[in-house]
Amino acid sequence: MEAQSLPAALALVAGGGSGLSPEKQAALAVSLPLLQRDYRFERVWFWGCIQGVRGAYYIAQGLGPDRAAPRSRLYSLNCLDWSLLTPATEEMLALVEQLKGRFQGDPSFVYELGEINAEAAARLIEGGKEPVIKEEARLIATIEQIDREVGIVPRGAFVKTPVGSVHENRHFEGLSLVEAKKLSSYFHFTKPVNLKNKTLLEKADLDPSTDFLDSLEHDMPRGSWSIQLEKGGTVVVLRSLLWLGLTFYHVPMTKQFGYVYFGTGEKNLDLPFML
């Protein structure tokens, strides 16, 4: 969610019981504008918080002119001092999938991969690498995984130009209340996967400038999203049951929308058996 409107946005998603203390909000109000200035970001989003056993990671994202380009990610342990994270790699994502349990809250904490997956550890040794994973690498991969799987935006909020870059749609005035209550009105804000598998007949009704992302209506398992009206029916809130703690909000007929994550960084692998 936008750093400039953070207090108001947090109030709109507070129905889930999570949020930030006034002290943390005050610290972010000071540090995020400085972060934007120092790194020369066009926009800064507050991504959320991953709660560890001994501490919490507060995450921010920096964006450039192309909103679909890889984002710069930073973390802080106190909402004041920020450290830049390296981009996630596919190898890193595969290794982190082996890890289970809570984050510790210490970026230098080391997971012994040999105790978790002997085969993965053996492959690392053969490649001349140590069979260990630092928690900072786990943090990088978890943020990337959450963004890929449940980072969403309303339909029409962004447009794709003929040259392939993605920008905010200046003509977007929000979804109607009727449309805002449909899963098909929301897109995953990452590279599309299902869109490539659509037939030419299905693509005929799509607008290539706005319908260039995957819709939530085909997410598996079915029922992995909860849609609710809150604040007297003035705010539509979507909550992910796959990544518990991910909350998206949209105020119909306005440009106000965003998502934030407050959780332990653990995927709900039991969801198919709960539905």
Side-chain angles (χ1 to χ4, degrees), residues 1-68:
M1 52 178 58
E2 287 281 357
Q4 295 176 344
S5 58
L6 187 57
L10 287 173
L12 294 177
V13 300
S18 56
L20 294 171
S21 67
E23 293 79 11
K24 295 298 183 187
Q25 290 192 41
L28 289 172
V30 173
S31 66
L32 291 181
L34 295 176
L35 195 68
Q36 182 174 352
R37 183 199 67 185
D38 294 344
Y39 284 89
R40 298 182 180 179
F41 295 136
E42 189 169 290
R43 290 285 181 87
V44 170
W45 286 355
F46 176 68
W47 184 89
C49 170
I50 293 179
Q51 185 66 49
V53 176
R54 294 176 296 195
Y57 297 103
Y58 299 92
I59 316 299
Q61 293 185 334
L63 293 84
D66 184 355
R67 296 296 189 259

Side-chain angles (χ1 to χ4, degrees), residues 168-217:
E168 294 173 7
N169 185 359
R170 296 181 181 179
H171 302 291
F172 177 71
E173 296 296 338
L175 301 172
S176 67
L177 183 58
V178 173
E179 291 297 319
K181 292 188 286 185
K182 299 177 182 178
L183 276 181
S184 58
S185 297
Y186 301 96
F187 293 154
H188 288 280
F189 200 37
T190 186
K191 289 183 179 179
V193 177
N194 299 328
L195 189 64
K196 299 176 183 177
N197 300 326
K198 287 183 178 291
T199 65
L200 291 175
L201 187 60
E202 290 174 319
K203 291 181 179 179
D205 295 328
L206 301 180
D207 184 342
S209 65
T210 56
D211 299 317
F212 58 94
L213 300 169
D214 284 336
S215 168
L216 267 61
E217 62 180 330

Side-chain angles (χ1 to χ4, degrees), residues 4-234:
Q4 295 176 344
S5 58
L6 187 57
L10 287 173
L12 294 177
V13 300
S18 56
L20 294 171
S21 67
E23 293 79 11
K24 295 298 183 187
Q25 290 192 41
L28 289 172
V30 173
S31 66
L32 291 181
L34 295 176
L35 195 68
Q36 182 174 352
R37 183 199 67 185
D38 294 344
Y39 284 89
R40 298 182 180 179
F41 295 136
E42 189 169 290
R43 290 285 181 87
V44 170
W45 286 355
F46 176 68
W47 184 89
C49 170
I50 293 179
Q51 185 66 49
V53 176
R54 294 176 296 195
Y57 297 103
Y58 299 92
I59 316 299
Q61 293 185 334
L63 293 84
D66 184 355
R67 296 296 189 259
R71 304 165 204 163
S72 298
R73 296 182 173 121
L74 307 96
Y75 76 92
S76 173
L77 302 176
N78 57 10
C79 293
L80 289 172
D81 304 308
W82 296 89
S83 300
L84 187 65
L85 293 168
T86 59
T89 63
E90 294 302 324
E91 181 187 16
M92 190 185 295
L93 290 167
L95 288 174
V96 166
E97 283 188 358
Q98 312 295 330
L99 303 179
K100 301 291 185 290
R102 294 281 303 275
F103 278 78
Q104 295 301 308
D106 177 7
S108 61
F109 181 82
V110 174
Y111 297 90
E112 295 289 344
L113 194 58
E115 300 174 2
I116 303 165
N117 188 308
E119 292 183 10
R123 286 196 298 270
L124 283 178
I125 294 173
E126 289 175 5
K129 300 179 181 178
E130 291 187 46
V132 297
I133 303 176
K134 283 191 175 182
E135 183 154 283
E136 186 174 85
R138 185 186 181 187
L139 180 66
I140 294 167
T142 300
I143 296 170
E144 177 69 21
Q145 197 173 8
I146 292 174
D147 269 345
R148 286 187 185 185
E149 297 185 10
V150 292
I152 61 176
V153 295
R155 180 180 184 272
F158 293 88
V159 292
K160 188 174 185 178
T161 65
V163 296
S165 59
V166 175
H167 302 278
E168 294 173 7
N169 185 359
R170 296 181 181 179
H171 302 291
F172 177 71
E173 296 296 338
L175 301 172
S176 67
L177 183 58
V178 173
E179 291 297 319
K181 292 188 286 185
K182 299 177 182 178
L183 276 181
S184 58
S185 297
Y186 301 96
F187 293 154
H188 288 280
F189 200 37
T190 186
K191 289 183 179 179
V193 177
N194 299 328
L195 189 64
K196 299 176 183 177
N197 300 326
K198 287 183 178 291
T199 65
L200 291 175
L201 187 60
E202 290 174 319
K203 291 181 179 179
D205 295 328
L206 301 180
D207 184 342
S209 65
T210 56
D211 299 317
F212 58 94
L213 300 169
D214 284 336
S215 168
L216 267 61
E217 62 180 330
H218 302 301
D219 279 13
M220 298 299 290
R222 299 282 183 180
S224 60
W225 288 97
S226 164
I227 302 182
Q228 296 163 339
L229 289 175
E230 298 186 1
K231 304 291 182 182
T234 59

